Amino acid sequence: MQVSEHNDMEESGQIRLNKATREWVIYAPSRRKRPQDFQQRSQEKPTLVNRVASCPFCEDGQHQSELILLELLDPDGKGWQTRTIVNKFPALTPDNSTQRSEAGIYMAMASYGQHEVVIESPDHHQTIATMPLAQVEILIETYHQRYMTLMEDPNNMMAIIFRNHGRGGGASLRHPHSQIIATGFVPRNRRIQEEEAQRYFDQWGRCVYCDILEFERHERKRAIEENDSFFAFVPFAAEVPFEIWILPKQHKADFGCISPREKSDFASILKNMLLKLYEKLNDPDYNWAIYTAARYKAEEPQVHWFCQIRPRLTTPAGFEMGSGISINPSLPEIDADFLKR
């Protein structure tokens, strides 16, 4: 994009198509703020202590040992570093059946699934952005082990790893934690993404995500950071300000196929992206999720797993609800430049 084209877009706006999903995004620069204006207002910080007696996730909290699914210990024998437990208030439970049933003209099924909480650190006031890299590497190892275990169950069609941060991101507890939900069906939005990837592969004989990766690495206008295994950038058709995608450079459909080296590199780039948001936008609320292949798609040549980070800096309104089209007041090129500076 030439400078004049960039300036014209800032004045008149643009509508962009997401190459992977075929969804349109409206860019409204008349609503645009300066990047630093997206910084969340400073709030009075609580006294930082490692443990909070009333927190159920702290070491001295109300854990019941039979609920602990996985615990990775400190190599020095000083205690646990991550714990994975059954969610006390699960959205889905493994005791139910995956059998569909008719309800008049409708269809329903019991709430089958598995809902786990990954306690990311014994330190109550820690966050991925501020953790030592070694701790984040242990966290990625935890995700991988639990993912592999969940996908051994033939009833689980998909396992979704995600993190809610801050009240605006839906987090109900401050203690650093993420979640994994395994479902007995494939969610519609994931199926649509897989179908779009299949159509692209059928037409061009290539993975759409690999093509995006190659183009973004070459153009560099929306690039933020890369290492040996991963590339992080603001997508061309970002739906929200400062949206970030982290793509593995090697084509892999399934997060379960991540190698030991890739685990370390993923931990590094994920931490760095969240640290940039933490420092430059004053620790905004956000959500991130790992998009990975559904069961039976793990070896498909058109599916490419990746991580998406979406800060909660704007509020969708009536047009977005009625049309399904996002309005983004911030240009991806400007967001990427601000984050990598």
Side-chain angles (χ1 to χ4, degrees), residues 32-55:
R32 181 169 63 86
K33 304 176 181 180
R34 297 173 301 166
Q36 57 268 34
D37 291 338
F38 283 104
Q39 292 176 343
Q40 298 211 337
R41 294 180 180 179
S42 298
Q43 299 178 358
E44 183 178 348
K45 302 296 184 183
T47 302
L48 299 185
V49 293
N50 290 341
R51 308 283 187 271
V52 174
S54 60
C55 173

Side-chain angles (χ1 to χ4, degrees), residues 100 147 150-161 181-195 197 209 252-257 290-306:
R100 275 70 165 170
Y147 177 86
L150 287 168
M151 293 309 292
E152 288 175 359
D153 187 336
N155 289 320
N156 292 334
M157 294 294 106
M158 172 169 282
I160 302 169
I161 303 168
I181 293 182
T183 62
F185 61 94
V186 180
R188 180 174 179 270
N189 74 315
R190 291 299 296 130
R191 188 64 81 197
I192 289 174
Q193 288 182 349
E194 290 177 347
E195 290 169 353
Y209 296 96
K252 291 184 178 180
D254 186 11
F255 172 72
C257 295
I290 292 175
Y291 290 74
T292 185
R295 182 177 295 279
Y296 310 122
K297 293 285 186 178
E299 302 298 327
E300 295 282 345
Q302 75 277 2
V303 184
H304 196 125
W305 81 265
F306 68 100

Side-chain angles (χ1 to χ4, degrees), residues 108-323:
M109 62 184 293
S111 57
Y112 168 82
Q114 297 178 57
H115 192 169
E116 303 178 1
V117 175
V118 179
I119 307 171
E120 301 166 350
S121 169
D123 188 337
H124 183 81
H125 289 285
Q126 195 61 272
T127 181
I128 294 177
T130 58
M131 286 177 187
L133 178 57
Q135 178 68 25
V136 185
E137 290 176 342
I138 291 171
L139 178 59
I140 300 303
E141 177 63 29
T142 301
Y143 293 152
H144 186 245
Q145 289 193 29
R146 288 309 305 158
Y147 177 86
M148 296 300 288
T149 298
L150 287 168
M151 293 309 292
E152 288 175 359
D153 187 336
N155 289 320
N156 292 334
M157 294 294 106
M158 172 169 282
I160 302 169
I161 303 168
F162 64 98
R163 189 179 203 272
N164 303 327
H165 180 75
R167 288 185 178 273
S172 57
L173 289 172
R174 179 181 179 86
H175 195 113
H177 68 284
S178 38
Q179 300 177 62
I180 308 175
I181 293 182
T183 62
F185 61 94
V186 180
R188 180 174 179 270
N189 74 315
R190 291 299 296 130
R191 188 64 81 197
I192 289 174
Q193 288 182 349
E194 290 177 347
E195 290 169 353
E196 287 296 338
Q198 180 69 64
R199 275 192 282 270
Y200 188 91
F201 186 86
D202 289 345
Q203 181 175 5
W204 300 104
R206 302 190 303 267
C207 165
V208 63
Y209 296 96
C210 288
D211 278 4
I212 291 172
L213 180 64
E214 181 180 358
F215 181 81
E216 294 292 345
R217 289 186 68 200
H218 173 76
E219 193 178 49
R220 311 302 299 182
K221 290 181 178 179
R222 290 165 292 277
I224 306 173
E225 182 179 311
E226 68 178 304
N227 56 32
D228 289 343
S229 306
F230 291 89
F231 179 74
F233 64 103
V234 178
F236 174 77
E239 294 185 6
V240 299
F242 300 98
E243 179 179 336
I244 299 171
W245 285 16
I246 302 173
L247 264 67
K249 291 181 178 179
Q250 183 178 352
H251 177 89
K252 291 184 178 180
D254 186 11
F255 172 72
C257 295
I258 190 170
S259 70
R261 173 60 186 272
E262 288 173 324
K263 290 178 189 177
S264 179
D265 285 348
F266 183 44
S268 175
I269 203 166
L270 177 62
K271 170 184 164 59
N272 288 349
M273 292 305 98
L274 296 177
L275 181 59
K276 287 179 181 295
L277 296 178
Y278 182 91
E279 292 180 338
K280 292 179 176 291
L281 298 177
N282 195 29
D283 192 19
D285 299 338
Y286 63 78
N287 306 99
W288 69 249
I290 292 175
Y291 290 74
T292 185
R295 182 177 295 279
Y296 310 122
K297 293 285 186 178
E299 302 298 327
E300 295 282 345
Q302 75 277 2
V303 184
H304 196 125
W305 81 265
F306 68 100
C307 177
Q308 180 188 44
I309 305 170
R310 300 188 67 167
R312 294 292 183 175
L313 301 170
T314 56
T315 302
F319 175 79
E320 289 89 338
M321 181 182 72
S323 68

